[in-house]
Amino acid sequence: MIDPANALESPARYRWLLAAFTRREVMNRYAGSVSGLAWTLLHPLAQLAIFAFVFSQVFRAGVPAEFASVNYTSFVAVALWPWIMFSEALSRGSSAVTANAGLIRKVAFPHRLLVYSTVLAGYCVHLVGFLVVLVVLRAMGEGIHLSTIPVALVLLLPYLAFATGLAAFLAALQALMRDVEHGIGIALTIGFYATPILYPASILPEGVRAWVQASPPAYFSQRMREVLIQGSGFAVGDLVAAAICLAVFFLGLWFFNRLAPHFEDFV
Amino acid sequence: MSAARGDVLVRLQGIGKDYPKVASGGDRLRTLAALLARRNDGPRFQALDGIDLEVRRGESLGLVGENGAGKSTLLKVIAGIVRPSRGTVGIDGRIGALIELGSGFHPEYTGRENIDLASALAGLSRRETRGKVDEIIAFADIGSHIDEPIKHYSSGMVVRLGFAVATALRPDILITDEILAVGDESFQKKCIAWLERYLSDGGTLLLCSHSMFHIQTLCSKALWIHHGQARMQGDRFDVTREYLAYHEEKTRTERVARVVAPDGRVPRIAELWTERADGTRADVFAKGETLVVQGLAFEPDDQAPVVLVGLVRIDGTPVFGALTNEDGFVPARIEPTRFGFALRFEGLPLLPGRYRARGHVLDAQGLRLFDTVEREFTVTGQTRDFGLVELPHAWSAGRGSDA
């Protein structure tokens, strides 16, 4: 005798369901549009073009000496894509439960798969865009290290875990309180400018810098530049960051699983 | 379905389900805190309370009850969609829940693409799904539409695809919530045929329906849920009769309560039997013999009821039925509240086989059917005729052509 609420927990079914959900998420984004997934690349590219023009041409922002082997566009691009993965995981992941209310009311399945698949889909889609951009920049003569891309990929994993944990927390919270939906956009805009993406961490005032750099998005933003522009390998700090990210992941999941049996009561 | 008939497939013990009442933002915060602390307080509404239930393999259970009584919630608890607040659920076997067909479908994908996610949600693995796609497409029978986006489907086609996915699952326990009336006529027949085969193969059905007819034909047992509690559980005919009695009582406002019979408040067939011309009870008759269906009807208001007596083949195919009021017969009052009737068939024209005599009692207007009682009997004889009855017939040479 088993509890029917756990019926889909066997690994084979679980993986297959996650794959099916993720595929649906990827296709959902641009289903019905003619150029489909091309938009997932065009959208960040347009953002990059705007930032590159406004900051390097209008505000005359420069690249700090330690990253002088690339121009401002590459300097921003290397940190922009990881941020987009993160912010999309939060904005879409936080409504993973409420957006699938129909499913939750009618079908028994592990609800956390909704968060996983939403976050995974965003990461997969933008990872492809990221790799394409890195290769293109390199081909244009920018000093991007292609050989350290595997290091960057490994560093994206704890970042993914961090994003998943936060998204799970927000998704569960939003099932009970719709306020999350409204707050998340504002929080992400603040987060974008507070994170060293358009500027190097070194120009922050001394007192603020330590606080900013303690946040995983800022840490990984900085590390992406060191790895992909300077060609450095892993650092001891990466282990600490990974531990923090995993802790956030499990905390977020704990919160989610606590509330998951009650989603059906609220959505 | 490898396990033996009679194994317990579903076991519920003391099931209760509370829904929090959240009217204000403050309620939401309080509820959130209570859920995190695993406390059971705050304003709540009790949807189910103290339900115990056991369903064995090969049994079928019908749930009856008024709207909002908790029938759907109970089905969702068994399906694993709703986590009960109290009690334990144990399931042994694969559940197929037809709660809302097509709920996992995405409108932008083609039917074929949707089969993947829908079967993953139904609990099939990738390999099982791959092996069943053709079977699903064949059952849905929607032709070339299978490669078009679902949003271009009619609602009937969506349901056909949903049902096809559910049948491919070959569930040990099938849970349905009034969905049998879907699709067009021919698809409904296909669904009923599938369901009958499923049941005769030893499948277990949990059905929630407002149709006493469906409960009586498809289920062996019934459970009456009243305000979230089990009011009665047992044989399908007993439960449906008591349930109808409750409704009868509820709607009878103008009549003063009379002497209430100890064994129920609605008309019913108290006794029914078959006998020969000489009055001896029997259940084997030779073709051409005289068959008499005798019975006693109970009418709580002591007014002569309308009785319907008929013969059906063992598979349920009706052969013939007669209503007392149509024939101008009034059942005879034998004692207070009890009325006798007998229907005589001389020279029984039924072909050899197994049949049932069926008795129904209706209200005095002949509009509402209250009870069904059946007695099985066999007709013997040697004949190579086909069909149900021997019609008067004669052969001749014919004219040879139309001219």
Side-chain angles (χ1 to χ4, degrees), chain B residues 190-204:
Chain B
K190 206 166 165 178
C191 292
I192 298 283
W194 182 87
L195 203 59
E196 278 172 352
R197 197 171 59 243
Y198 170 80
L199 290 176
S200 66
D201 287 349
T204 303

Side-chain angles (χ1 to χ4, degrees), chain A residues 24-239:
Chain A
R24 182 183 77 149
E25 269 307 314
V26 170
M27 296 182 69
N28 264 357
R29 292 173 188 232
Y30 298 99
S33 64
V34 181
S35 13
L37 288 173
W39 286 110
T40 60
L41 183 58
L42 284 174
H43 189 242
L45 273 181
Q47 263 184 291
L48 179 65
I50 294 165
F51 293 138
F53 175 77
V54 171
F55 288 91
S56 69
Q57 303 302 313
V58 179
F59 293 121
R60 301 280 167 200
V63 178
E66 68 264 34
F67 301 122
S69 63
V70 296
N71 62 21
Y72 183 78
T73 307
S74 304
F75 173 77
V76 171
V78 164
L80 181 63
W81 258 266
W83 169 264
I84 288 172
M85 293 179 194
F86 172 75
S87 69
E88 232 190 71
L90 258 50
S91 60
R92 286 177 186 264
S94 61
S95 40
V97 169
T98 43
N100 290 289
L103 219 49
I104 285 171
R105 275 198 297 264
K106 310 284 182 203
V107 188
F109 66 100
H111 297 151
R112 59 187 183 282
L113 290 184
L114 291 172
V115 176
Y116 291 176
S117 62
T118 311
V119 174
L120 262 183
Y123 261 71
C124 293
V125 165
H126 291 297
L127 188 62
V128 173
F130 190 31
L131 293 176
V132 169
V133 165
L134 289 178
V135 170
V136 169
L137 288 173
R138 172 71 206 220
M140 286 163 67
E142 288 293 293
I144 303 270
H145 286 260
L146 295 185
S147 58
T148 45
I149 283 181
V151 177
L153 292 183
V154 171
L155 284 178
L156 282 175
L157 289 176
Y159 201 7
L160 172 69
F162 177 72
T164 310
L166 277 186
F169 170 78
L170 292 170
L173 200 59
Q174 187 173 326
L176 271 78
M177 292 185 283
R178 299 300 145 94
D179 316 64
V180 173
E181 198 176 339
H182 307 292
I184 191 93
I186 301 167
L188 283 174
T189 308
I190 295 171
F192 177 71
Y193 290 102
T195 303
I197 296 168
L198 296 174
Y199 54 86
S202 52
I203 65 164
L204 286 169
E206 199 62 45
V208 184
R209 197 190 306 166
W211 284 105
V212 167
Q213 282 185 315
S215 86
Y219 179 80
F220 288 111
S221 184
Q222 176 70 14
R223 290 291 291 135
M224 283 294 143
R225 283 177 178 149
E226 288 169 10
V227 169
L228 292 170
I229 300 174
Q230 297 176 335
S232 71
F234 292 109
V236 181
D238 296 344
L239 276 178

Side-chain angles (χ1 to χ4, degrees), chain B residues 259-327:
Chain B
V259 184
V260 174
D263 50 350
R265 288 170 217 89
V266 266
R268 62 186 172 83
I269 300 284
E271 276 182 75
L272 189 79
W273 68 92
T274 50
E275 61 180 39
R276 297 187 204 286
D278 62 3
T280 52
R281 294 199 183 195
D283 54 9
V284 178
F285 297 86
K287 178 171 170 292
E289 207 184 341
T290 296
L291 163 74
V292 182
V293 182
Q294 282 258 20
L296 202 57
F298 164 76
E299 213 290 328
D301 297 331
D302 207 15
Q303 292 176 350
V306 169
V307 172
L308 169 59
V309 172
L311 304 180
V312 300
R313 199 164 64 183
I314 196 74
D315 66 355
T317 307
V319 180
F320 176 78
L323 274 164
T324 53
N325 62 345
E326 291 293 315
D327 291 339

Side-chain angles (χ1 to χ4, degrees), chain B residues 179-368:
Chain B
I179 53 92
L180 293 173
V182 295
D184 57 23
E185 195 66 28
S186 68
F187 191 71
Q188 277 190 33
K189 276 188 185 155
K190 206 166 165 178
C191 292
I192 298 283
W194 182 87
L195 203 59
E196 278 172 352
R197 197 171 59 243
Y198 170 80
L199 290 176
S200 66
D201 287 349
T204 303
L205 176 73
L206 301 184
L207 171 76
C208 156
S209 181
H210 288 289
S211 154
M212 293 307 118
F213 174 75
H214 274 154
I215 300 272
Q216 289 177 352
T217 23
L218 293 170
C219 304
S220 51
K221 291 189 170 176
L223 168 64
W224 173 11
I225 310 263
H226 189 66
H227 296 315
Q229 294 178 327
R231 173 119 168 209
M232 190 181 174
Q233 192 171 346
D235 176 76
R236 57 185 158 165
F237 290 118
D238 294 343
V239 174
T240 49
R241 187 172 58 227
E242 287 302 311
Y243 177 61
L244 288 173
Y246 161 79
H247 277 284
E248 174 71 7
E249 193 69 14
K250 219 177 130 181
T251 48
R252 188 166 56 184
T253 48
E254 75 279 20
R255 290 193 223 169
V256 186
R258 306 196 181 189
V259 184
V260 174
D263 50 350
R265 288 170 217 89
V266 266
R268 62 186 172 83
I269 300 284
E271 276 182 75
L272 189 79
W273 68 92
T274 50
E275 61 180 39
R276 297 187 204 286
D278 62 3
T280 52
R281 294 199 183 195
D283 54 9
V284 178
F285 297 86
K287 178 171 170 292
E289 207 184 341
T290 296
L291 163 74
V292 182
V293 182
Q294 282 258 20
L296 202 57
F298 164 76
E299 213 290 328
D301 297 331
D302 207 15
Q303 292 176 350
V306 169
V307 172
L308 169 59
V309 172
L311 304 180
V312 300
R313 199 164 64 183
I314 196 74
D315 66 355
T317 307
V319 180
F320 176 78
L323 274 164
T324 53
N325 62 345
E326 291 293 315
D327 291 339
F329 168 75
V330 179
R333 186 168 180 271
I334 291 172
E335 54 182 273
T337 73
R338 279 170 200 270
F339 297 81
F341 58 89
L343 184 62
R344 190 181 183 90
F345 297 96
E346 290 192 19
L348 190 66
L350 292 176
L351 294 181
R354 288 167 65 212
Y355 298 86
R356 289 190 204 130
R358 192 180 267 179
H360 300 285
V361 60
L362 290 80
D363 63 5
Q365 293 75 40
L367 294 177
R368 275 174 310 161

Side-chain angles (χ1 to χ4, degrees), chain A residues 1-2 4 8 13 16 23-24 27-28 103-106 108 176-177 255 258-259 264-266, chain B residues 8 17 19 28 36 38 76 78-79 81-82 90-91 94 100 103 106 109 116 123-126 129:
Chain A
M1 287 259 160
I2 57 152
L8 277 173
R13 303 232 165 85
W16 168 225
R23 219 181 115 226
R24 182 183 77 149
M27 296 182 69
N28 264 357
L103 219 49
I104 285 171
R105 275 198 297 264
K106 310 284 182 203
L176 271 78
M177 292 185 283
F255 185 84
R258 251 310 154 80
L259 297 187
E264 194 265 343
D265 308 358
F266 294 97
Chain B
V8 177
K17 173 69 188 173
Y19 281 103
R28 281 180 180 269
L36 286 176
R38 295 225 162 122
K76 285 180 170 186
I78 298 171
I81 300 165
V82 168
I91 300 292
R94 184 178 264 185
E100 189 169 294
S103 41
H106 190 285
Y109 300 175
D116 273 3
L124 292 178
S125 67
R126 182 192 295 261
T129 306

